[in-house]
Amino acid sequence: MTPGPGAPGLIDRRAQNLPVPLGGDAPVREQRSRRRRPIRTHAGSLAAGVGFAAAALGVALLAVPPSTAVSLLGDHVDVGSMVLRETGPVAGSQAVLYSGDASYVLAEHGDGSATASAAWVSSGASASGVCTLRPVESRLIDECSFTLNTERLTSVDVLDPARGPQWQRTYDDGVRAAIAVSPDGAAIPVPFPIGH
């Protein structure tokens, strides 16, 4: 009697069909395109280069000052997301008062110059700013001074239309800021310490 398959201690000797490659018993090595080898051999360097470029771009974006728009648009002044509405002329002068989260007084003179002052409350303390705008050749120069609690700051703003529609502000302590002018609005003095 012949024991059945799977009986303990016995070897299964039934015939089996095993596929054998026609080219012989040696393992076959697949040939790969040589175009991929430089990418594979330099993948680490490429990844490091991309990472370095992304880091450099991040540093450059941090170095570029953020831009806030300040413009006179008809009967209101936009200072970033703050809107100051015209409330009427200032008695005894040619100035116009704008009110909202801050008070802003603008006096435009016939020669292209203007002065502006603003007052507001910041962190429970009163703050103010005064600016004088004057045309110089094809540019506008805005000289400002600010009082923030007990701190005093000054800045010089330059608006050069050849370089784009934004003020380039430099504070006396070296801090820089960009202040955009809306394409639909007019450039005005900016007595707010934007970017500081």
Side-chain angles (χ1 to χ4, degrees), residues 8-126:
L10 301 176
I11 299 173
D12 182 15
R13 299 192 186 271
R14 288 181 290 176
Q16 298 179 11
N17 291 326
L18 298 174
V20 177
L22 296 178
D25 293 339
V28 177
R29 184 170 190 176
E30 184 179 325
Q31 294 293 323
R32 296 187 182 186
S33 170
R34 294 195 180 267
R35 283 183 271 162
R36 291 187 181 179
R37 282 191 180 160
I39 293 174
R40 183 174 293 147
T41 58
H42 299 294
S45 298
L46 288 171
V50 168
F52 179 74
L57 178 62
V59 169
L61 289 175
L62 287 175
V64 174
S67 181
T68 299
V70 177
S71 300
L72 174 63
L73 296 158
D75 65 344
H76 64 279
V77 172
D78 287 349
V79 181
S81 61
M82 181 172 54
V83 177
L84 306 175
R85 300 269 176 213
E86 182 178 336
T87 57
V90 175
S93 71
Q94 302 258 336
V96 177
L97 174 64
Y98 297 85
S99 297
D101 290 338
S103 294
Y104 179 88
V105 176
L106 175 64
E108 296 181 281
H109 312 294
D111 60 356
S113 65
T115 54
S117 60
W120 64 97
V121 175
S122 175
S123 301
S126 62

Side-chain angles (χ1 to χ4, degrees), residues 112-164:
S113 65
T115 54
S117 60
W120 64 97
V121 175
S122 175
S123 301
S126 62
S128 62
V130 177
C131 293
T132 303
L133 180 145
R134 58 188 166 80
V136 176
E137 297 171 6
S138 63
R139 300 176 302 160
L140 293 175
I141 306 293
D142 191 22
E143 296 174 329
C144 302
S145 63
F146 309 96
T147 303
L148 309 168
N149 206 354
T150 59
E151 184 182 5
R152 290 191 49 82
L153 287 170
T154 62
S155 71
V156 175
D157 308 343
V158 178
L159 177 62
D160 186 353
R163 296 183 68 197

